[in-house]
Amino acid sequence: MWFVTVLGPVAPTRKTEDWLEAATSLLAYRITDQVLALAGQPDDDDPGRDQWRQELTEALRHW
């Protein structure tokens, strides 16, 4: 449910590679929630993961 809510049911015909990169990164990052793709905050204090979350948030604004 959350995947379709954020990225839609299929890749767009334009910028497909950008969409695929955002989708793959989101799946790798994912914090478990039934509805929201980026629900909650990471449990650890890893600044790299915080940066990753910020980059994903920005990338997902386009979809």
Side-chain angles (χ1 to χ4, degrees):
M1 179 66 158
W2 59 266
F3 188 91
V4 174
T5 300
V6 173
L7 294 166
V10 296
T13 56
R14 293 179 155 210
K15 296 190 176 187
T16 304
E17 190 171 320
D18 292 342
W19 181 92
L20 185 56
E21 184 176 328
T24 302
S25 189
L26 178 58
L27 289 170
Y29 176 89
R30 179 112 165 89
I31 295 176
T32 305
D33 187 276
Q34 293 296 319
V35 178
L36 302 174
L38 293 174
Q41 295 291 326
D43 292 333
D44 53 29
D45 292 329
D46 180 357
R49 191 158 175 91
D50 290 336
Q51 178 65 33
W52 190 5
R53 180 185 174 84
Q54 290 174 355
E55 290 171 3
L56 274 168
T57 299
E58 181 62 30
L60 294 175
R61 285 188 183 135
H62 300 290
W63 310 112

